[in-house]
Amino acid sequence: MEKINQTREVEYNRAKLWQIILFSLNNTSTNIYLFAFGFVTYFATGILGLAVLFVSQIMGYIRIFDGVIDPAIGVLIDKTNMRFGKYRPNIVIGNIISILSFLLLFNIDYFGKELAMPLFIIALIIHKIGYSLQATVTKAGQAALTNDPKQRPIFNIFDGIATSILFSGGQMIVSSFLVVKYGGFTHAFFGAFIPGVMVISSVLALLACVGIWSKDNIAFFGIGEKTKETSLRDYWFVLKGNRPLQMLATAAAFVKFVVQIFSDQVMMIMIFGIVFGNYGLSGTISMILIFTGIAFTVLAATLARKKGLRFAYITYVQVAIISIVVLAILLFIGQPGSLRFDQINIFTILFVLTYAVARGTSQAPAGLALTMSADISDYETSVSGRFVSGLIGTIFSLTDSIASSLVPMVIGFVLAMIGFSQEYPTQNTLLTPELRMMTVLLAAGLPLLMLICSLVFMKFYKLDSQTMVEIQEKIQVMKAAKDKQRAIDIANNVPLSDMEFINVSDYKVDHHVKK
């Protein structure tokens, strides 16, 4: 086989700014369902009449089911090769399934109480299938969208902005408008809330399809052409041998636990409705979190572009740990009336600053992990020649689902220990010493432990900024070698199916990045 001796600059596959912006909306499209899921517990207990412990456990098991099916979803995406590409069909199909599942879920009460439990479980299972199909594309599609290490963090800026607006703005609308208008989490509340969720998600999904449209073809997959068919045995070797995937997926799972518990609606009730005596405060502070969340996201992406994604991730987790320690102290000493915006005091200023930093610095690493999954996909291509972005994306979803599944389980179990086994605490529940201690444990103690674990695993994640430049250089050599060998084989009438990967260990390029 003829060797290829050449020196060339790295020519990156870059995306236009509008493509990055629109594709980032796919994450928002799925996140709005995640936000809505925070209210399912109140629908199940308050309207369907299901017990708290049952609902919390089922919600956890369903998320584990989500994780179990994720690898199969990843394989499906990797093997998808339709006329409309690999990613767009799965975005559309996944979103349609999510719509159908919510139509069933929030109309279960019309079928009678005897069918409430089985239909509740069925609706959740259907939803997780659709959610996984669409959500996995967010991680997998970034590998095709752009491979420029300086451009990939831009995705996090717009994803972070949209996420901040969604969760903080959504919380404000729910707590300050919908709950007030409809008298709590009533049937009328869900009748107004859920259709809005479905419409907004669908529009965002279509915009995401437009964003990935021109990149959703084989020219941007791996080495730029169809490789050997990937078998289940090959997938096993990817899972077994890709150490960066193992380390980051685990570290990101611990961060996901923190993000999920901060956004859980039961926790919102416990912190603002019970400890501080006014659930409406969660809407006010959520407005502030929109701006601080955007600021932290932009700073994280800027840091990632300068120092690399790994450096930005670790730095933010370290800051989050410090802020959560302070948050624990403030929750321990806080009283109903301590937090108020009509007469701002020192406690209010300290709490808002601490809470904003804790939320912002824990949310940003979760967003960075989305982009880092594309780095891991490129790493796998560089060592095996395989393009398995779908599988890699779903491994993150697997660990993510396992971590987030523990949130409703843990909350339900802890509350059952102090007497809330039949219904969740509401904004009218009186603050007791036991309830305060459990609030501090859930809102600060467990998140602190999770973030420390994340830091430990990131110590063994080695894909820093310099390593990623070298990986892109190697992939470019693989592409060039493949193209040259393709011409040679065609000239010698060698069938394309018999072509083997070229050993690129002897090929070098200058360590110079084309600007």
Side-chain angles (χ1 to χ4, degrees):
M1 185 175 291
E2 179 181 335
K3 280 192 176 183
I4 304 170
N5 296 311
Q6 56 185 343
T7 300
R8 64 171 62 194
E9 297 176 334
V10 176
E11 296 179 0
Y12 288 117
N13 159 39
R14 293 186 174 92
K16 295 181 175 62
L17 182 61
W18 66 266
Q19 291 176 314
I20 297 175
I21 294 173
L22 292 186
F23 183 65
S24 71
L25 296 178
N26 189 62
N27 196 40
T28 315
S29 176
T30 53
N31 273 341
I32 194 169
Y33 278 109
L34 192 61
F35 175 71
F37 238 69
F39 301 91
V40 170
T41 51
Y42 285 100
F43 178 82
T45 57
I47 295 178
L48 298 182
L50 303 177
V52 166
L53 203 54
F54 169 79
V55 172
S56 65
Q57 298 305 303
I58 287 298
M59 295 291 284
Y61 292 140
I62 287 298
R63 285 184 173 130
I64 292 176
F65 166 79
D66 181 25
V68 170
I69 66 170
D70 276 339
I73 296 292
V75 172
L76 175 63
I77 291 176
D78 285 333
K79 293 183 178 295
T80 299
N81 188 24
M82 301 176 65
R83 176 184 176 186
F84 296 104
K86 180 187 295 289
Y87 302 120
R88 286 168 292 168
N90 288 295
I91 290 176
V92 174
I93 294 172
N95 195 262
I96 291 174
I97 294 175
S98 293
I99 291 173
L100 295 177
S101 69
F102 262 41
L103 286 174
L104 171 61
L105 178 61
F106 290 97
N107 289 283
I108 288 176
D109 52 312
Y110 292 115
F111 293 90
K113 288 191 175 183
E114 62 278 2
L115 293 177
M117 187 181 298
L119 287 179
F120 181 70
I121 297 173
I122 291 172
L124 293 180
I125 290 175
I126 294 173
H127 175 74
K128 285 305 176 183
I129 294 174
Y131 176 86
S132 293
L133 270 175
Q134 186 180 352
T136 299
V137 173
T138 299
K139 305 177 186 72
Q142 290 188 64
L145 184 66
T146 175
N147 64 356
D148 186 347
K150 298 293 184 182
Q151 192 179 53
R152 275 182 173 165
I154 296 176
F155 175 94
N156 299 112
I157 294 177
F158 296 103
D159 175 52
I161 291 173
T163 299
S164 296
I165 293 173
L166 168 63
F167 283 100
S168 299
Q171 183 64 35
M172 181 205 67
I173 292 172
V174 168
S175 63
S176 302
F177 177 67
L178 292 179
V179 167
V180 175
K181 180 178 180 179
Y182 296 108
F185 301 122
T186 61
H187 203 287
F189 165 86
F190 289 105
F193 177 58
I194 297 305
V197 168
M198 294 188 294
V199 170
I200 293 173
S201 178
S202 298
V203 172
L204 295 177
L206 292 176
L207 291 174
C209 287
V210 174
I212 196 68
W213 197 286
S214 65
K215 300 286 185 172
D216 195 6
N217 65 75
I218 199 169
F220 303 105
F221 302 160
I223 61 175
E225 61 178 71
K226 188 174 182 180
T227 60
K228 295 177 181 178
E229 188 69 20
T230 305
S231 65
L232 292 178
R233 184 170 178 268
D234 295 321
Y235 284 123
W236 166 246
F237 281 118
V238 171
L239 300 178
K240 182 180 178 182
N242 195 317
R243 189 169 179 82
L245 172 61
Q246 298 165 359
M247 295 300 102
L248 182 60
T250 306
F254 287 116
V255 170
K256 181 64 176 182
F257 181 94
V258 178
V259 173
Q260 194 72 21
I261 205 165
F262 269 137
S263 61
D264 189 271
Q265 288 303 312
V266 178
M267 289 306 305
M268 288 289 184
I269 289 287
M270 292 173 68
I271 293 173
F272 297 101
I274 299 175
V275 173
F276 296 124
N278 184 355
Y279 178 59
L281 292 171
S282 66
T284 304
I285 204 169
S286 291
M287 283 297 296
I288 299 173
L289 291 180
I290 292 178
F291 301 102
T292 58
I294 291 173
F296 279 116
T297 298
V298 173
L299 288 174
T302 302
L303 186 62
R305 297 187 74 188
K306 292 182 178 180
K307 298 288 188 176
L309 287 160
R310 179 182 183 273
F311 182 88
Y313 186 105
I314 291 176
T315 300
Y316 265 62
V317 171
Q318 291 171 336
V319 176
I321 289 174
I322 297 172
S323 63
I324 287 177
V325 171
V326 179
L327 180 64
I329 298 172
L330 295 176
L331 287 174
F332 186 77
I333 65 175
Q335 299 291 335
S338 297
L339 181 66
R340 53 192 306 164
F341 293 97
D342 55 344
Q343 296 179 358
I344 296 179
N345 51 44
I346 297 297
F347 183 90
T348 299
I349 295 173
L350 287 176
F351 183 84
V352 170
L353 289 175
T354 303
Y355 188 73
V357 172
R359 289 288 298 265
T361 54
S362 59
Q363 179 68 51
L368 292 173
L370 294 176
T371 302
M372 294 164 81
S373 66
D375 287 351
I376 292 176
S377 180
D378 289 340
Y379 166 79
E380 181 59 38
T381 298
S382 73
V383 297
S384 70
R386 306 285 186 188
F387 184 70
V388 287
S389 64
L391 175 69
I392 289 172
T394 51
I395 295 305
F396 280 90
S397 296
L398 169 61
T399 55
D400 181 297
S401 297
I402 293 174
S404 60
S405 69
L406 294 176
V407 172
M409 287 183 170
V410 169
I411 292 176
F413 179 75
V414 168
L415 291 177
M417 289 176 58
I418 58 174
F420 294 92
S421 59
Q422 295 301 315
E423 60 181 6
Y424 287 101
T426 69
Q427 56 185 333
N428 298 319
T429 303
L430 294 177
L431 177 63
T432 63
E434 294 81 10
L435 199 52
R436 178 192 297 278
M437 290 305 299
M438 291 309 176
T439 302
V440 174
L441 172 66
L442 292 171
L446 287 178
L448 181 63
L449 177 62
M450 296 296 107
L451 291 176
I452 292 174
C453 291
S454 182
L455 271 185
V456 172
F457 278 90
M458 284 303 294
K459 180 180 179 181
F460 302 99
Y461 178 78
K462 303 300 183 181
L463 299 186
D464 56 18
S465 56
Q466 179 57 37
T467 302
M468 287 312 304
V469 171
E470 294 171 357
I471 285 174
Q472 296 303 336
E473 291 173 344
K474 183 178 180 181
I475 291 176
Q476 179 161 311
V477 172
M478 294 172 72
K479 289 180 179 180
K482 193 73 175 178
D483 291 343
K484 181 66 177 291
Q485 188 59 38
R486 179 186 176 94
I488 294 172
D489 287 340
I490 290 176
N492 294 324
N493 295 318
V494 176
L496 296 182
S497 60
D498 293 338
M499 291 164 54
E500 297 181 354
F501 288 114
I502 289 179
N503 187 339
V504 299
S505 59
D506 296 331
Y507 306 140
K508 298 190 300 181
V509 297
D510 284 341
H511 290 280
H512 173 70
V513 181
K514 185 176 181 181
K515 301 297 182 182

